[in-house]
């Protein structure tokens, strides 16, 4: 049988061989990396010298013509775009839902008149024929996430478009426990 002291070396050698052959998932560099993986956070986007995001996934750059409400915009060419993975209070009810005005105002502040990057998940459109997209500012700000994080929206998962559902759910839980936005202003 094998001498006792060589077993740990053998295990270490096999682990090293596994890592060097690329069979294992890349390990996070720090506990922060582990925590962000567990939170479902997207990896930060690389930036160019002018502070603009370098999108490392397919996007379509469009100008926002009009903000309909907290989670819907109209872009140049007249296409309506519904934000994926989150939901804001409705403007169209009578009376309007609590925090609907604030959610729309925040969306106007973030994207009104701006060029934005649209990212598709799985579905092209919803049943109302709106494009379904994640929205990014050209500086890399992830608009869908920002609205949930700041309490203007709730996480809303509609399979198959679930790329960031874990992340949005985490952001909602944190916003709720901090009482920010609608979580402090509305009875829910």
């Amino acid at each position: 049988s094998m001498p006792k002291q060589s077993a740990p070396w053998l295990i270490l050698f096999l682990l090293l061989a596994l890592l060097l052959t690329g069979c294992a998932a890349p390990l996070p560099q720090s506990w922060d990396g582990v925590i962000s993986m567990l939170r479902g956070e997207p990896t930060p986007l690389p930036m160019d010298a002018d502070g603009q995001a370098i999108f490392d996934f397919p996007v379509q750059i469009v100008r926002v013509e009009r903000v309909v409400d907290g989670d819907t915009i109209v872009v140049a060419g007249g296409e309506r775009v519904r934000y994926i993975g989150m939901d804001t209070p409705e403007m169209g009810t009578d009376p309007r839902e609590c925090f609907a005005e604030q959610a729309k105002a925040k969306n106007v502040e973030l994207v009104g008149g701006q060029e934005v990057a649209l990212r598709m998940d799985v579905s092209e459109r919803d049943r109302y024929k709106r494009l379904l997209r994640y929205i990014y500012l050209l500086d890399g700000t992830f608009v869908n996430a920002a609205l949930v994080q700041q309490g203007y929206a709730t996480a809303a998962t509609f399979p198959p478009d679930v790329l960031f559902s874990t992340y949005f759910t985490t952001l909602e839980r944190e916003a709720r426990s901090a009482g920010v936005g609608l979580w402090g202003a509305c009875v829910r």
Side-chain angles (χ1 to χ4, degrees):
S1 81
M2 195 185 296
K4 290 265 187 272
Q5 70 271 19
S6 68
W9 289 110
L10 183 62
I11 292 168
L12 193 62
F13 173 77
L14 290 172
L15 280 173
L16 193 60
L18 195 64
L19 283 171
L20 292 175
T21 57
C23 294
L27 294 171
Q29 295 302 304
S30 67
W31 283 112
D32 290 346
V34 173
I35 290 165
S36 54
M37 275 173 61
L38 291 173
R39 287 167 48 94
E41 285 177 28
T43 52
L45 292 169
M47 303 298 271
D48 70 14
D50 300 321
Q52 299 294 290
I54 300 164
F55 295 101
D56 49 6
F57 42 80
V59 294
Q60 180 188 4
I61 309 294
V62 295
R63 180 164 300 281
V64 176
E65 298 232 312
R66 185 166 65 87
V67 173
V68 177
D69 57 23
D71 56 32
T72 308
I73 54 176
V74 177
V75 298
E79 196 76 78
R80 283 173 98 84
V81 181
R82 171 65 163 82
Y83 296 9
I84 303 175
M86 37 83 67
D87 196 25
T88 59
E90 295 301 323
M91 295 285 292
T93 58
D94 187 23
R96 286 186 174 146
E97 289 183 7
C98 180
F99 230 67
E101 295 279 356
Q102 293 92 325
K104 179 179 180 179
K106 184 61 178 183
N107 202 16
V108 168
E109 179 192 317
L110 285 167
V111 305
Q114 300 285 321
E115 283 200 320
V116 296
L118 305 181
R119 178 184 190 176
M120 196 171 117
D121 195 341
V122 175
S123 307
E124 175 71 18
R125 295 179 186 273
D126 67 7
R127 62 183 181 198
Y128 305 109
K129 307 284 185 250
R130 299 175 295 190
L131 291 177
L132 292 171
R133 297 293 186 271
Y134 299 108
I135 315 297
Y136 295 82
L137 300 183
L138 299 188
D139 70 2
T141 301
F142 188 6
V143 176
N144 309 52
L147 290 166
V148 176
Q149 186 170 36
Q150 296 169 36
Y152 293 97
T154 58
T157 303
F158 298 103
D161 302 294
V162 298
L163 187 59
F164 297 111
S165 59
T166 303
Y167 182 46
F168 292 166
T169 303
T170 301
L171 293 177
E172 178 189 298
R173 192 170 49 247
E174 292 168 358
R176 184 187 307 145
S177 57
V180 298
L182 62 84
W183 301 109
C186 307
V187 179
R188 291 191 80 81

